[in-house]
Amino acid sequence: MPRLPSLAILVLLSSVLLGGSCSEPKAVPLEELQKDIAPPFDYSLYCDEDGTLLGDRSAVLLVYRASHLERVYGDALAGNPRAQALFGQLETAVSRTGMEMAKQSLGIACGSLPACVVQWHKLDEFLPSRGEGGLRLRQVMADSFSRAAMLQHVSNTTVSAVLDVLLVGTVLKRGAVGAAGTEAAVAEARALAAETSVAPVEAGRLAVAGLEVRLAAEELPALEARIVEEEALATAARHPPRLEALTRYRPSASQPPPGVQADHPRWTSYVAYWHRCYEELAGTRPLPPRALEAKPPLAWDSYSALLDRFQRSLEFQRSVTRKLQQPGSSKGSTVWLPDMKQPLITDNTGLQLESRAHPVYVDQLAVDQATLGPGLRPSVHTFSNKQRNFSTLSVDEALRQYRADLQEVQAKYSGVVEVRRPGHPLFQQKVEISQAHIVYDGKLVPPPIRTGLSQYARSRGAALHFHDP
């Protein structure tokens, strides 16, 4: 038997998808596959009379040609020995690929994790079939990847993210022998990830990949949750909800809008986001946590504008964090937290409230380390950053908005909470929040409005600040 074609598929699914380097040459570039016009099906295109694959390219072409792949898989299930031998080699090849993926994943840096993970969605370009044969190969690859990743001690965040993409739309159907083992392996990997990290928000990860920022792994759950919430609340233009109409707007990773590069992370993330929304509407994919209903995807311009706004808010948050972390008489940690002797400021920190099913993520968590220790009551403050444009509001309208924001902050970031950030000195401890703060973007608040809001906040004992980045 000739060498199995793990070379060809490995190059496609590790070097291209992970953006890493591979010592082996490309077998069939994506651009060449996209020009492929499948001939009428014939086993001789791919294998000899015994079902043995012919060369390296035949496996890649068979996997890419969805109708041919499903024909082979159907014949294999029907007991055709030639088809069984051929499909069995594909399973062996993708199993090897899954193991190599785990090795490649060890090299993903936290700062580039979202962009790297989202590129796995290009799997749809190489393995486009959503039939039982295509899903079976995804299952085998996920099985191999998850087992190897656990042995390689790959980051739980990476494992969970990769499985989310590998199994997009998969219902884990039992086709060939071993599918039950695949389901167990995937469940085991996801359970392992859940032990030490917050459950992933898939759509959020894809959107975060479209942001031009560097992110630490511990920030991902917070930003994912925030952007999923923003997307759900977005009122901008969306595609039609009926699947028949929606299909006409299906984007292609290789055909971006004018002025956008095909490999730009934002376009790649949009393609992945669109497919997830489609599958949620079709009922072939469960809704992400916190989602109440499936919605059609935002149009590209709406999606890009959403990420622009989110990126601006993230930059504002970073600016507030820097101010709090800087010592000095005119800086935030002194002016906003005058009684703190040793402030520790962390951002995007997870807090679990007993009244909520999922953690909330506060923009900044400030802890006075001088108050930590036996017999001491920790001084803990939360900060919520908001960019509200008050320039067109009257004082009364601004006060109504502030009261709504204050009510939200008191519900989400006050009371008794459990700190969920690993490595934090209060990790897994329940503490009472000493004070919840609101920080508005000062550039968006005219002086008369600022005066009125400040007076109202002081009369209520609330902590309100204005930051001019």
Side-chain angles (χ1 to χ4, degrees):
M1 178 181 292
R3 178 171 175 264
L4 289 172
S6 58
L7 158 67
I9 300 179
L10 169 60
V11 171
L12 297 180
L13 299 179
S14 65
S15 180
V16 175
L17 301 186
L18 286 176
S21 60
C22 184
S23 60
E24 303 189 53
K26 280 189 176 181
V28 184
L30 176 58
E31 293 75 13
E32 182 177 337
L33 285 177
Q34 290 169 338
K35 298 175 182 178
D36 175 68
I37 300 177
F41 176 80
D42 193 294
Y43 276 100
S44 63
L45 294 170
Y46 309 107
C47 65
D48 61 19
E49 291 295 327
D50 296 324
T52 301
L53 281 162
L54 301 174
D56 288 332
R57 297 171 61 91
S58 59
V60 181
L61 290 172
L62 177 54
V63 167
Y64 182 74
R65 295 167 178 169
S67 62
H68 290 195
L69 177 66
E70 296 307 320
R71 165 68 182 276
V72 172
Y73 186 68
D75 289 349
L77 292 181
N80 184 317
R82 188 179 187 184
Q84 289 176 337
L86 178 56
F87 199 86
Q89 290 171 85
L90 294 182
E91 290 183 312
T92 301
V94 298
S95 179
R96 290 185 177 181
T97 299
M99 290 188 289
E100 291 297 332
M101 284 177 169
K103 294 178 183 178
Q104 291 278 348
S105 298
L106 282 171
I108 297 179
C110 290
S112 61
L113 176 61
C116 286
V117 169
V118 76
Q119 291 186 59
W120 288 66
H121 187 81
K122 290 184 181 179
L123 173 65
D124 284 333
E125 297 281 341
F126 295 103
L127 208 170
S129 174
R130 292 308 178 93
E132 292 189 359
L135 296 183
R136 169 59 186 164
L137 292 183
R138 289 171 184 256
Q139 293 172 27
V140 171
M141 198 180 304
D143 175 24
S144 175
F145 170 82
S146 59
R147 292 186 184 281
M150 284 186 285
L151 293 175
Q152 298 279 348
H153 302 291
V154 174
S155 158
N156 291 329
T157 305
T158 305
V159 170
S160 185
V162 171
L163 289 177
D164 285 339
V165 178
L166 275 178
L167 297 178
V168 61
T170 303
V171 190
L172 289 173
K173 299 176 182 178
R174 287 173 174 80
V177 176
T182 297
E183 186 173 357
V186 173
E188 181 182 3
R190 283 187 168 144
L192 175 64
E195 289 179 4
T196 54
S197 63
V198 179
V201 180
E202 304 159 7
R205 177 173 292 107
L206 294 171
V208 169
L211 299 176
E212 298 177 2
V213 293
R214 291 184 62 83
L215 304 172
E218 60 269 18
E219 293 183 273
L220 284 175
L223 298 183
E224 290 160 12
R226 284 173 53 189
I227 205 163
V228 165
E229 182 178 0
E230 292 289 334
E231 192 277 341
L233 296 175
T235 58
R238 293 180 181 267
H239 288 304
R242 290 178 58 86
L243 294 181
E244 297 83 356
L246 180 58
T247 300
R248 296 198 296 268
Y249 297 91
R250 185 184 301 275
S252 170
S254 60
Q255 297 178 341
V260 180
Q261 296 295 321
D263 60 350
H264 193 285
R266 182 168 293 191
W267 174 246
T268 307
S269 73
Y270 178 73
V271 174
Y273 156 79
W274 191 99
H275 281 87
R276 288 173 183 273
C277 289
Y278 182 92
E279 289 161 0
E280 289 167 4
L281 283 170
T284 59
R285 182 174 187 80
L287 296 177
R290 302 177 178 85
L292 299 179
E293 62 177 342
K295 290 187 175 184
L298 292 166
W300 159 248
D301 289 342
S302 302
Y303 180 85
S304 186
L306 171 70
L307 293 195
D308 285 339
R309 292 193 301 272
F310 192 84
Q311 184 155 338
R312 288 194 297 270
S313 70
L314 186 59
E315 291 167 354
F316 177 68
Q317 179 195 5
R318 293 279 199 265
S319 179
V320 174
T321 299
R322 287 194 297 270
K323 178 170 183 174
L324 283 168
Q325 290 175 337
Q326 291 176 352
S329 58
S330 63
K331 303 303 179 181
S333 60
T334 301
V335 175
W336 296 349
L337 300 168
D339 297 328
M340 279 202 179
K341 298 178 181 179
Q342 300 177 31
L344 171 67
I345 312 297
T346 58
D347 51 10
N348 298 313
T349 306
L351 305 176
Q352 183 64 60
L353 285 75
E354 292 184 355
S355 59
R356 291 178 175 263
H358 302 285
V360 296
Y361 298 92
V362 67
D363 290 318
Q364 292 88 21
L365 182 69
V367 176
D368 189 352
Q369 297 180 91
T371 64
L372 303 182
L376 299 178
R377 181 177 181 177
S379 176
V380 183
H381 293 239
T382 57
F383 287 80
S384 177
N385 309 159
K386 299 184 181 297
Q387 288 184 296
R388 303 284 192 202
N389 188 355
F390 288 95
S391 61
T392 61
L393 302 183
S394 66
V395 173
D396 288 341
E397 291 171 331
L399 285 173
R400 281 197 294 271
Q401 180 62 67
Y402 171 64
R403 284 193 289 267
D405 290 338
L406 183 60
Q407 184 178 9
E408 177 202 16
V409 168
Q410 291 174 339
K412 294 172 65 175
Y413 309 127
S414 298
V416 177
V417 302
E418 178 185 335
V419 178
R420 297 290 298 273
R421 170 68 64 83
H424 193 279
L426 293 176
F427 178 51
Q428 293 185 330
Q429 294 186 40
K430 290 186 177 181
V431 295
E432 184 173 1
I433 301 301
S434 308
Q435 178 74 63
H437 303 243
I438 292 178
V439 182
Y440 283 133
D441 187 338
K443 300 195 308 299
L444 303 177
V445 187
I449 300 294
R450 186 182 297 205
T451 300
L453 294 180
S454 297
Q455 291 175 347
Y456 181 85
R458 283 195 297 270
S459 70
R460 298 299 189 277
L464 174 63
H465 315 287
F466 302 94
H467 174 58
D468 297 281

